């Protein structure tokens, strides 16, 4: 008897955020998730930084012009954990739907362009921070690191995600393809409504379809669109209006091999649906597996630093480890115990091997911190 593969309905939501208003964006996201669930979707993807909206102002004026807009955007960003995340988890649980959504994450005084992965049981499974914000985005978003190149195990199989122009970073894509996701969420801002970027839809299509082809996976490509309300919010004068207009967006559901199953949806709000049959991956498996039988690790391989970047690390003195004081020792020991407990829980839950390996490496680093050796 042959193995059977999951079948389910997936949805991508192309919609406009309500800029700089976290609660209204959250209300809209919840309503859209509920709508997708009511149509039978078991997985739904929403665009990049849907809460509290993409910071278009970065492209439309000088830092002095957009300072007040930045402050609104910063104050409306999403902390993890928070009531915002709890509500997203609640709607996922109540509607029994897996959710992937882009948010601007705020950690202390820094923001990050982040994807949240939420299971249909209402649990935050993980997150991905964009490893390299694009161009002027670096004025607002910090850099992710190798610890953010993760996949998550959902009930239908393993899922990955990247944000916008990360799809042009082949080493980043390869690092995720090597973790063998069955479904990939490509979350973008819709940018074809911006003067000078009219070809953005073509670039999106190229990147998304190629990832489906090279990664032997389904791709849920989801973009935002800009409402007239957002145009009025941002365009204070003729300078902004010549560059920014209503519309934008190219969303589609793509099968392994690069064929479009649903869409594309262009320049308007809406939800696309498609029936996903994971057995379709087998139609391509005998041709190539970029990180399996079609790989040549003896000739070409990729090294990934999966450690999280840290601002503060134990200092070394004269080649020997610095000694921790009593308070620091107690704190380091508590963090080690916490890490071990989290690792044991991950093993009990049968989390993915890469995630367990990452957590084990974190426990090792904490252990070294306790005994004073170099992390």
């Amino acid at each position: 008897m042959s193995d059977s593969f999951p079948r389910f309905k997936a949805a991508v939501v192309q919609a406009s955020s309500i800029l700089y208003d976290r609660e209204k964006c959250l209300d809209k996201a919840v309503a859209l998730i509920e709508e997708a669930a009511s149509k039978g979707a078991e997985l739904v993807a929403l665009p990049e930084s849907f809460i509290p909206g993409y910071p278009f102002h970065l492209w439309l004026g000088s830092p002095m012009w957009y300072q007040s807009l930045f402050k609104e955007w910063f104050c409306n960003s999403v902390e993890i954990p928070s009531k915002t995340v709890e509500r997203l988890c609640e709607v996922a649980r109540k509607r029994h739907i897996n959710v992937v959504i882009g948010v601007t994450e705020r950690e202390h005084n820094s923001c990050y362009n982040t994807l949240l992965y939420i299971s249909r049981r209402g649990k935050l499974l993980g997150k991905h921070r964009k490893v390299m914000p694009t161009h002027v985005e670096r004025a607002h978003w910090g850099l992710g690191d190798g610890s953010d190149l993760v996949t998550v195990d959902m009930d239908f199989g393993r899922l990955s995600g990247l944000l916008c122009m990360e799809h042009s970073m082949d080493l980043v894509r390869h690092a995720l393809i090597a973790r063998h996701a069955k479904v990939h969420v490509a979350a973008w801002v819709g940018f074809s409504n911006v003067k000078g970027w009219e070809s953005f839809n073509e670039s999106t299509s190229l990147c998304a379809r190629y990832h489906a082809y090279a990664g032997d996976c389904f791709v849920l490509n989801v973009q935002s669109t800009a409402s007239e309300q957002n145009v009025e919010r941002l365009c204070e004068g003729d300078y902004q209006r010549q560059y920014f207009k209503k519309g934008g967006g190219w969303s589609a559901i793509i099968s392994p091999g690069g064929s479009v199953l649903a869409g594309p949806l262009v320049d308007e709000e809406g939800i696309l649906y498609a029936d996903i049959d994971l057995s379709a991956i087998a139609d391509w498996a005998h041709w190539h597996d970029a990180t399996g039988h079609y790989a040549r690790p003896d000739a070409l391989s990729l090294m990934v630093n999966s450690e999280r970047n840290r601002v503060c690390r134990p200092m070394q003195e004269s080649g020997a480890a610095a000694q921790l004081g009593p308070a620091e020792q107690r704190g380091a020991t508590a963090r080690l115990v916490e890490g071990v407990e989290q690792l044991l829980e991950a093993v009990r839950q049968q989390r993915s091997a890469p995630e367990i390996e990452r957590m084990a490496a974190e426990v090792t680093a904490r252990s070294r911190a306790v005994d004073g050796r170099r992390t």
Side-chain angles (χ1 to χ4, degrees), residues 8-14 36 41-45 182-186 204-205 208-209 212 217-223 250-265 270-277:
F8 59 94
K9 180 178 286 189
V12 296
V13 174
Q14 182 162 289
E42 298 178 54
L43 169 66
V44 61
K182 306 298 184 186
V183 178
H184 176 81
V185 173
T204 302
S205 173
R209 295 177 68 187
C217 62
F218 289 87
V219 171
L220 308 187
N221 193 89
V222 58
Q223 289 194 352
W250 190 97
S251 295
I253 300 175
I254 302 163
S255 66
S259 298
V260 175
L261 288 177
L265 181 63
I271 304 178
L272 295 174
Y273 300 90
D275 292 321
I276 303 297
D277 180 358

Side-chain angles (χ1 to χ4, degrees), residues 7-22:
R7 297 183 179 186
F8 59 94
K9 180 178 286 189
V12 296
V13 174
Q14 182 162 289
S16 175
S17 301
I18 302 169
L19 283 180
Y20 315 122
D21 194 317
R22 180 176 57 217

Side-chain angles (χ1 to χ4, degrees), residues 34-81:
E34 290 179 331
E35 180 180 348
S38 71
K39 299 294 179 61
E42 298 178 54
L43 169 66
V44 61
L46 288 87
E48 174 181 20
S49 192
F50 191 75
I51 306 173
Y54 181 84
F56 285 106
H57 57 257
L58 280 165
W59 305 88
L60 298 175
S62 72
M64 301 307 294
W65 171 76
Y66 64 61
Q67 172 60 29
S68 62
L69 296 176
F70 164 78
K71 187 172 183 178
E72 276 191 83
W73 179 82
F74 179 90
C75 293
N76 280 274
S77 56
V78 179
E79 293 186 331
I80 303 173

Side-chain angles (χ1 to χ4, degrees), residues 348-364:
R348 282 194 291 269
Q349 293 179 359
Q350 297 181 329
R351 303 284 282 275
S352 65
E355 186 172 0
I356 290 175
E357 291 171 2
R358 178 184 63 79
M359 296 176 72
E362 178 69 18
V363 167
T364 299

